[in-house]
Amino acid sequence: MERILVSACLMGRRVRYDGGAKTSSDAWLTGWREEGRLVSFCPEVEGGLPIPRPAAEIEGGAGGAAVLSGAARVLATDGSDVTAEFLAGAQSALAAARSHGIRLAVLKEGSPSCGALSIYDGTFRGHRTPGQGVTTALLESNGIRVFTEEHVDEAAEYLWTLES
């Protein structure tokens, strides 16, 4: 059975920067949870960041690949550099995915770790820009397909191709 890496906040865990969750009621995720397919993970917490914590964004909206290459940093609203924690969390997510043979992930859109299509632009003004978070960029560069919570139907189609 294919396992699926999923953002812990989507599963109701209160791990977000503000101490909240973004619980998804998606039928596919509910079914996959019941089947035991899901591996719930929060890269920011696994990377060593506390709950709650200051919000963080990738400077200049540069994207996760730029952070992975050392060309950009992840900064918190208090000015602290949390790049090391984001990199550690991404590496932990990849290790978890590899240990479970995971080839598919459903992660929280907009997050500086998990965003797959867009991230916040680094100005802390609520503006998004196209791009990926640090964990998504690392997973995708290692052959793991990442979908957002808004594209779970597409993830289900991909899962079907993996199991066919």
Side-chain angles (χ1 to χ4, degrees):
M1 172 174 60
E2 288 284 336
R3 303 291 300 274
I4 302 165
L5 190 71
V6 64
S7 290
C9 63
L10 295 176
M11 295 291 92
R13 289 191 40 215
R14 299 176 60 85
V15 294
R16 288 176 43 85
Y17 73 94
D18 59 4
K22 285 287 186 177
T23 308
S24 173
S25 59
D26 184 87
W28 284 111
L29 289 176
T30 300
W32 293 336
R33 175 187 254 171
E34 291 168 0
E35 292 172 1
R37 288 183 185 270
L38 300 181
V39 175
S40 180
F41 199 88
C42 177
E44 294 171 24
V45 172
E46 292 297 322
L49 293 173
I51 306 163
R53 58 189 170 273
E57 296 184 6
I58 299 171
E59 65 181 345
V67 175
L68 292 170
S69 73
R73 299 176 299 164
V74 184
L75 302 175
T77 53
D78 65 2
S80 61
D81 183 340
V82 290
T83 305
E85 290 85 350
F86 274 73
L87 290 171
Q91 289 294 336
S92 292
L94 179 60
R98 285 181 171 161
S99 74
H100 292 283
I102 289 173
R103 300 185 284 174
L104 162 65
V106 176
L107 303 181
K108 179 70 187 106
E109 184 56 35
S111 159
S113 288
C114 298
L117 302 174
S118 69
I119 55 171
Y120 289 94
D121 68 2
T123 65
F124 296 101
R125 293 187 180 134
H127 302 128
R128 287 194 190 195
T129 188
Q132 296 180 326
V134 179
T135 296
T136 294
L138 184 63
L139 293 175
E140 291 256 340
S141 72
N142 282 274
I144 298 166
R145 290 275 309 273
V146 177
F147 297 87
T148 75
E149 75 276 14
E150 298 157 1
H151 296 94
V152 180
D153 286 343
E154 293 172 28
E157 290 175 20
Y158 183 64
L159 177 63
W160 185 82
T161 65
L162 293 175
E163 295 186 325
S164 294

